[in-house]
Amino acid sequence: MSEVNIENSWKNILNHEFGKPYFGNLIEFVKSEYAMQTVYPKGAEIFAAFDACKFDDVKVVLLGQDPYHGAGQAHGLSFSVQSGVKLPPSLQNIYKEIQSDLGIVPPADGNLLRWAKQGVLLLNATLTVRASTPGSHQGMGWETFTDAVIQALSDRKENLVFLLWGAYAQKKGASIDKSKHLVLESAHPSPFSVHRGFFGNKHFSKTNEFLTSKGLKPIDW
């Protein structure tokens, strides 16, 4: 499908998905939504997570659910917001855990592109959302596509770290080959569940310990 403007290494891996009927239906749905509704992120940023982190460069996969549905927030990377935007509660809690775990004082900036450039794939299960309507693009085909992304990573690579926060992410990552990859699971960092095991999970130090043990450069969180 020529209209899928995605980074070339991913295009090679996912090309078979683009020709499937579900993906054609998904593209038509997304185009109609952008034409008639306010949808986030901007069209050019739908595949930003892939553009920022080539397939060969992926070391860590951080799985989110939906893009942020407020104006000016989403820009195609899970949990990340555009520079200058107030930090959402989940990202505030992620930063708190990084500080507790690693002693790093996080920046005020919520743009996580700096992580993506180091090999962190910031992948949402659903890549678009209607403004002010969380979950509005669920069940339209994005989940099938991102399942294929996760499967390709699990099958074709070794020594990845998958960060699965919350029941949704854990269910979506159930097929990951744990004999080849490190899968770290905990509660979600949202205010509703953060005290049920996200705080204190030490996922950031555990990720870096694993990467270092495999001879890979740790992430500068």
Side-chain angles (χ1 to χ4, degrees):
M1 252 190 175
S2 58
E3 68 241 60
V4 179
N5 186 15
I6 193 171
E7 193 276 326
N8 280 335
S9 67
W10 286 103
K11 188 171 273 190
N12 293 336
I13 296 290
L14 299 169
N15 219 26
H16 61 287
E17 290 298 310
F18 302 145
K20 291 182 179 179
Y22 88 86
F23 198 86
N25 294 335
L26 169 64
I27 292 298
E28 290 307 309
F29 166 76
V30 169
K31 280 182 175 176
S32 69
E33 284 284 287
Y34 274 92
M36 296 186 294
Q37 305 285 342
T38 300
V39 178
Y40 302 126
K42 289 187 253 181
E45 295 176 331
I46 292 173
F47 295 108
F50 303 91
D51 297 334
C53 186
K54 295 177 183 177
F55 183 83
D56 289 346
D57 295 340
V58 177
K59 297 193 285 189
V60 180
V61 181
L62 177 49
L63 190 59
Q65 191 165 352
D66 252 14
Y68 294 118
H69 56 270
Q73 293 180 302
H75 63 128
L77 309 178
S78 65
F79 293 101
S80 179
V81 289
Q82 299 187 65
S83 295
V85 174
K86 181 183 176 185
L87 300 185
S90 289
L91 185 53
Q92 289 181 35
N93 289 332
I94 289 168
Y95 278 3
K96 286 177 185 175
E97 177 58 25
I98 290 172
Q99 185 163 1
S100 169
D101 185 12
L102 297 172
I104 297 169
V105 178
D109 190 347
N111 190 328
L112 304 181
L113 183 62
R114 65 187 185 279
W115 293 0
K117 295 294 186 185
Q118 297 177 75
V120 182
L121 180 66
L122 297 160
L123 179 66
N124 278 317
T126 304
L127 300 189
T128 54
V129 69
R130 195 183 292 181
S132 305
T133 317
S136 49
H137 286 188
Q138 291 177 8
M140 303 307 298
W142 279 131
E143 295 92 339
T144 304
F145 174 71
T146 51
D147 281 347
V149 171
I150 292 166
Q151 201 61 54
L153 288 163
S154 177
D155 291 348
R156 296 183 182 224
K157 292 181 73 78
E158 294 181 344
N159 302 327
L160 296 180
V161 181
F162 288 87
L163 301 177
L164 307 181
W165 298 335
Y168 181 91
Q170 289 157 23
K171 184 177 179 183
K172 191 168 180 69
S175 67
I176 296 164
D177 186 346
K178 293 182 179 180
S179 71
K180 293 200 299 176
H181 307 289
L182 176 64
V183 177
L184 296 175
E185 300 181 346
S186 80
H188 193 276
S190 90
F192 302 106
S193 55
V194 70
H195 291 288
R196 288 193 235 130
F198 180 81
F199 283 152
N201 68 16
K202 298 192 179 297
H203 280 185
F204 303 97
S205 60
K206 288 176 181 176
T207 294
N208 281 351
E209 286 163 10
F210 178 82
L211 294 174
T212 302
S213 77
K214 301 299 180 182
L216 299 169
K217 189 176 180 181
I219 306 299
D220 178 7
W221 300 107

